[in-house]
Amino acid sequence: MPRAGEWAAAVLPGDGEVGPGKMAAPWELSCWGGGWGLPSVHSESLVVLAYAKFSGAPLKVNVIDNTWRGSRGDVPILTTEDSIVSQPAKILNFLRKQKYNADCELSAKQGADTLAYIALLEEKLLPAVLHTFWVENDNYFTVTKPWFASRIPFPLSLILPGRMSRGALNRILLTRGEPPLYHLQEVEAQIYRDAKECLNLLSNRLGTSQFFFGDTPSTLDAYVFGFLAPLYKVRFPKVHLQEHLKQLSNLCRLCDDILHSYFRRGPGGISPAGQEMIDANLQKLTQLVNKESNLIEKMDDKLRQSPQLLPRKLPTLRLTPAEEESSSLQRLSP
């Protein structure tokens, strides 16, 4: 696994402080980095980051930018002294076993509701989030691909985003590309209908409460935040599902409250406002580069379409008989 020079590191929730009776050193969580005021733009990484904040688990965050593991979908990864744990559900179970439990005050019914809503998120909302980021052409080429490529060294930056896009599409089709939905357009329409229905159910369940089960955040809040915050904050050109989410003010307020209360400064020590400025500048730079590329392509097209002049033939010089005789004598003379 890559180390020095490849990751930027930070510690959650404090500066490496641990409570009495806890472990001597923080565990390491490897995940994708942040943007648009978010500690991570990767939903599953956000789930674990939020849960660690809620439960008080001290994690050393290693922001991955050039690992092949990210393309296989097993980020985030939690590394301890004697084990490596991947996938949010397994990481959260590990933290609970170490007495970092954000659900200790929940009843049995609330625990069952948590499992049901997480299953709903993964079945109904996750496909639409994947499609928004990785399959929708305008969003992928304008936002997703440039963002990930800028954080991956060459030549992996030419390979990994495309692989991740194909992986997202395959994941969608494996779960939704069954009869009677045979065509991609039909699949897309269905996943967005399901996603809107899921968002409406979450909004009705949250109501006017601060969090889903009262005044204290739990696992369900971590999952909802992880799935919704990137959809809410990232600036996409195609905002079909984003517009629907922004109409549900209580879900947006939940994301804002968690960001303000638990992620005032990101893993790189940059405040959300400062990060938003950096992202805005990056977006302007990306747009400028795209305009320059389009201009160059148009100039090339005009050059190719313009009539080409054939090269002029130089006239052949012929020597007079006297000049030919003089030249022959010069060649024969010693």
Side-chain angles (χ1 to χ4, degrees), residues 311-324:
R312 294 178 61 187
K313 258 181 112 176
L314 293 175
T316 303
L317 297 178
R318 300 183 62 84
L319 300 177
T320 63
E323 290 174 334
E324 288 181 356

Side-chain angles (χ1 to χ4, degrees), residues 11 15 60 73 99 116 169 183 201 205 250 270:
V11 175
D15 296 324
K60 180 180 180 182
K99 310 303 181 185
L169 178 59
H183 302 292
L201 290 173
R205 176 62 182 82
N250 58 345
I270 302 173

Side-chain angles (χ1 to χ4, degrees), residues 5-276:
E6 298 178 353
W7 290 334
V11 175
L12 296 176
D15 296 324
E17 300 175 357
V18 293
K22 302 295 184 181
M23 60 185 184
W27 298 298
E28 293 188 357
L29 180 71
S30 303
C31 61
W32 285 104
W36 294 276
L38 299 172
S40 175
V41 300
H42 183 240
S43 288
E44 294 179 336
S45 296
L46 266 185
V47 170
V48 178
L49 290 171
Y51 185 89
K53 286 286 192 178
F54 299 162
S55 64
L59 302 181
K60 180 180 180 182
V61 179
N62 295 317
V63 178
I64 297 178
D65 62 357
N66 61 351
T67 175
W68 281 97
R69 298 178 67 87
S71 66
R72 298 202 303 268
D74 52 2
V75 173
I77 302 168
L78 183 66
T79 304
T80 69
E81 292 181 358
D82 53 3
S83 63
I84 296 177
V85 187
S86 63
Q87 300 176 12
K90 293 180 180 179
I91 294 175
L92 268 55
N93 285 334
F94 174 86
L95 295 178
R96 292 189 192 100
K97 291 178 182 179
Q98 304 301 319
K99 310 303 181 185
Y100 295 100
N101 189 354
D103 300 338
C104 57
E105 298 182 1
L106 299 187
S107 66
K109 182 181 183 306
Q110 290 172 331
D113 288 345
T114 296
L115 295 177
Y117 275 101
I118 290 174
L120 179 70
L121 284 166
E122 292 179 339
E123 180 184 354
K124 301 293 187 180
L125 185 60
L126 181 58
V129 173
L130 291 174
H131 190 278
T132 299
F133 272 83
W134 294 102
V135 181
E136 169 58 54
N137 277 339
D138 288 346
N139 293 346
Y140 173 72
F141 287 107
T142 305
V143 177
T144 309
K145 183 179 179 180
W147 189 93
F148 278 88
S150 69
R151 287 153 176 80
I152 303 173
F154 181 86
L156 295 182
S157 58
L158 302 177
I159 303 170
L160 283 186
R163 171 175 287 197
M164 296 168 75
S165 176
R166 290 189 296 272
L169 178 59
N170 289 338
R171 188 170 178 180
I172 293 171
L173 293 178
L174 282 174
T175 57
R176 296 305 180 88
E178 300 176 353
L181 303 178
Y182 295 99
H183 302 292
L184 182 59
Q185 291 80 2
E186 294 174 341
V187 174
E188 291 173 353
Q190 184 63 49
I191 63 176
Y192 281 107
R193 282 195 297 268
D194 290 346
K196 290 180 179 179
E197 180 183 352
C198 179
L199 291 175
N200 292 338
L201 290 173
L202 290 172
S203 179
N204 291 333
R205 176 62 182 82
L206 179 61
T208 58
S209 300
Q210 183 177 5
F211 299 105
F212 278 92
F213 298 112
D215 299 330
T216 305
S218 62
T219 298
L220 180 56
D221 297 284
Y223 268 89
V224 172
F225 172 74
F227 281 55
L228 295 191
L231 191 62
Y232 172 41
K233 291 293 185 179
V234 177
R235 299 184 185 95
F236 291 116
K238 289 293 183 67
V239 294
H240 183 61
L241 187 59
Q242 192 177 63
E243 286 179 344
H244 185 80
L245 171 60
K246 289 183 176 181
Q247 293 174 6
L248 305 173
S249 59
N250 58 345
L251 294 179
C252 297
R253 188 264 311 155
L254 174 72
C255 294
D256 288 331
D257 286 351
I258 291 175
L259 282 172
H260 177 75
S261 299
Y262 295 95
F263 297 100
R264 290 183 181 179
R265 300 192 73 81
I270 302 173
S271 65
Q275 184 64 53
E276 286 182 359

